[in-house]
């Protein structure tokens, strides 16, 4: 009885080894899981379900096989693959989840999210997030040619890299008040997220003697890894 969590794989045809790690995950530990949750940034970028990378096609084969074998695979959008839509989700047998959701894990309610919504000190990013989650903006982008969308995605990655380099480290991390609010709004005492690429387990003071546990998933830049949650607790594992 175990549920597995991954995020921030940033799969990209330019780094095919990462897709190989995903295949090792899907064909290995995921096989005996009760469920798999992908908490965003599965892909380095996503320009539409009509323009699939080789990695996206490979992933769809692996996740649909997992689902067919009885392991449900759920997906929360990240800030890179927020345009991933229902066509691809259907082809890959991914269950699309809202931006945050509380699930019961062996009797323990747990809040799941990508993590970008907690980084409220990064005003430039939050402004872009509001714009890019607007259905009208998304429709306009998806109506562009593939070349135009590729250029837009490349530009967004350049801007993001320049921003990550210049913004302070604390601005790029979660805001403590946003974390408190997420715990309070969901009524949970445990959350799992990715996005910050700072894997850790944090104790979060909720006041009045209450404590929340915030588990941050690792990215897959150097190696593949996942979080395993069982009735006994949670365990970070490398592939
Ligand atoms: Mn992210």
């Amino acid at each position: 009885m175990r549920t597995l969590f991954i995020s921030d794989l940033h799969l990209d045809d330019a780094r095919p080894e990462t897709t190989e790690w995903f295949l090792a995950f899907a064909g290995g530990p995921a096989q005996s899981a009760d469920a798999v949750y992908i908490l965003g940034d599965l892909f380095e970028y996503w320009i539409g379900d009509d323009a699939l990378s080789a990695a996206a096609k490979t992933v769809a084969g692996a996740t649909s096989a997992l689902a067919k074998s009885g392991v449900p695979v759920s997906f929360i959008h990240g800030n890179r693959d927020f345009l991933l839509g229902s066509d691809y989700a259907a082809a890959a047998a991914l269950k699309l989840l809202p931006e945050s959701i509380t699930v019961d894990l062996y009797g323990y309610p747990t809040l799941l999210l990508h993590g970008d919504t907690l980084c409220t000190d990064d005003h430039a990013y939050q402004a872009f997030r509001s714009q890019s989650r607007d259905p009208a903006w998304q429709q306009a982008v998806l109506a562009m040619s593939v070349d135009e969308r590729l250029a837009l995605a490349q530009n967004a990655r350049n801007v993001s890299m320049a921003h990550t380099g210049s913004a302070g480290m604390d601005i790029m991390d979660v805001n403590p008040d946003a974390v408190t609010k997420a715990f309070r709004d969901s009524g949970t005492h445990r959350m799992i997220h990715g996005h910050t690429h700072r894997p850790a387990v944090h104790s979060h003071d909720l006041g009045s003697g209450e404590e929340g546990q915030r588990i941050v998933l690792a990215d897959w830049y150097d190696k593949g890894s996942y979080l395993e949650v069982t009735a006994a607790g949670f365990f970070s594992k490398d592939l």
Side-chain angles (χ1 to χ4, degrees):
M1 299 281 280
R2 60 212 193 100
T3 300
L4 307 186
F5 296 86
I6 55 176
S7 74
D8 303 283
L9 288 71
H10 293 268
L11 300 183
D12 185 350
D13 288 352
R15 293 184 301 116
E17 70 277 10
T18 321
T19 303
E20 292 300 319
W21 299 342
F22 181 78
L23 290 178
F25 170 76
Q31 293 278 327
S32 54
D34 297 325
V36 170
Y37 288 88
I38 303 168
L39 302 186
D41 288 356
L42 172 59
F43 298 103
E44 171 71 5
Y45 62 93
W46 195 268
I47 60 166
D49 294 3
D50 59 334
L52 299 183
S53 63
K57 290 174 188 166
T58 301
V59 166
T63 52
S64 56
L66 257 184
K68 199 176 269 180
S69 73
V71 182
V73 186
S74 300
F75 175 81
I76 292 180
H77 291 102
N79 55 300
R80 301 300 195 97
D81 47 19
F82 59 88
L83 281 175
L84 191 153
S86 53
D87 287 351
Y88 181 75
L94 294 176
K95 186 175 182 214
L96 290 182
L97 300 180
E99 66 181 36
S100 69
I101 187 169
T102 300
V103 297
D104 181 281
L105 294 174
Y106 314 104
Y108 210 102
T110 306
L111 178 66
L112 309 178
L113 66 172
H114 177 55
D116 56 331
T117 50
L118 301 172
C119 301
T120 51
D121 293 326
D122 190 347
H123 302 295
Y125 170 67
Q126 293 302 334
F128 171 73
R129 189 181 195 282
S130 300
Q131 177 192 49
S132 61
R133 298 296 175 117
D134 173 26
W137 184 92
Q138 294 195 357
Q139 266 179 18
V141 168
L142 292 172
M144 293 177 182
S145 73
V146 169
D147 283 349
E148 285 171 319
R149 281 181 274 158
L150 278 173
L152 196 69
Q154 186 57 52
N155 184 51
R157 289 157 79 198
N158 292 344
V159 169
S160 167
M161 266 190 282
H163 180 59
T164 305
S166 65
M169 285 302 278
D170 50 336
I171 286 179
M172 306 298 290
D173 205 352
V174 300
N175 173 290
D177 295 335
V179 172
T180 300
K181 186 174 186 314
F183 275 125
R184 290 255 177 261
D185 288 351
S186 61
T188 60
H189 291 85
R190 183 166 73 184
M191 72 167 75
I192 303 172
H193 71 79
H195 180 64
T196 61
H197 299 203
R198 296 172 194 195
V201 180
H202 299 275
S203 278
H204 189 83
D205 185 3
L206 290 167
S208 57
E210 275 185 279
E211 212 167 74
Q213 232 168 6
R214 182 169 68 86
I215 305 164
V216 187
L217 302 176
D219 65 67
W220 281 36
Y221 281 136
D222 297 324
K223 61 175 190 255
S225 64
Y226 59 96
L227 180 81
E228 177 180 294
V229 179
T230 71
F234 51 87
F235 313 91
S236 288
K237 303 209 167 178
D238 291 337
L239 280 173

